Amino acid sequence: MKKVLLVAAAAISMGSFSVQASGEAMYNNLGCSGCHGAGGNSMVPSYPSLAGKDAGWIFDQIKAFQDGSRVDPTMNAMAPMAAGHEQAIADFLSGK
Ligand code: HEC
């Protein structure tokens, strides 16, 4: 019984780790970090910092850039690349 619980706990912690890693990986691999900085801490005033922002709000901004309801030429080009990973990226950034 104890062994079963340990295996279950390991599976759960591995599961949450992989979700966070994929949000971080997508954020870095898509080049978001090039403007918004490592972990969402931007060093450049014209690129807003995203670290610690509300996950729901970040998710909504990415969606708004995708559907054009929020207009910015750079982000309207970048946001579609995050398709399917909006939540993972938002969760990663809000946890920073
Ligand atoms: C070439 C630079 C650049 C890249 C790459 C980039 N962004 Fe942005 N991002 C911007 C700029 C500039 C703004 C501010 C747009 C505005 O003023 O409306 C912005 C705004 C945002 C916002 C809203 C922040 C706020 O304070 O309103 C989010 C969320 C965001 N970007 C997410 C992302 C994600 C996710 C990626 C990767 C898929 C990404 N960005 C890639 C330049 C960039």
Side-chain angles (χ1 to χ4, degrees):
M1 185 59 182
K2 198 173 178 191
K3 197 172 184 182
V4 172
L5 286 176
L6 279 174
V7 170
I12 290 166
S13 61
M14 280 167 68
S16 60
F17 175 76
S18 69
V19 168
Q20 283 193 349
S22 81
E24 180 171 14
M26 293 310 297
Y27 175 79
N28 291 325
N29 294 345
L30 292 173
C32 315
S33 55
C35 290
H36 294 287
N41 289 295
S42 171
M43 299 297 193
V44 184
S46 51
Y47 302 140
S49 279
L50 304 173
K53 299 274 168 71
D54 179 74
W57 178 83
I58 294 173
F59 180 93
D60 288 347
Q61 301 316 303
I62 298 172
K63 287 289 189 187
F65 285 126
Q66 287 172 351
D67 69 20
S69 57
R70 181 169 172 182
V71 178
D72 175 73
T74 303
M75 282 309 302
N76 291 145
M78 288 303 301
M81 292 198 271
H85 304 283
E86 297 90 345
Q87 193 65 60
I89 293 172
D91 287 344
F92 163 67
L93 290 168
S94 74
K96 282 282 144 186

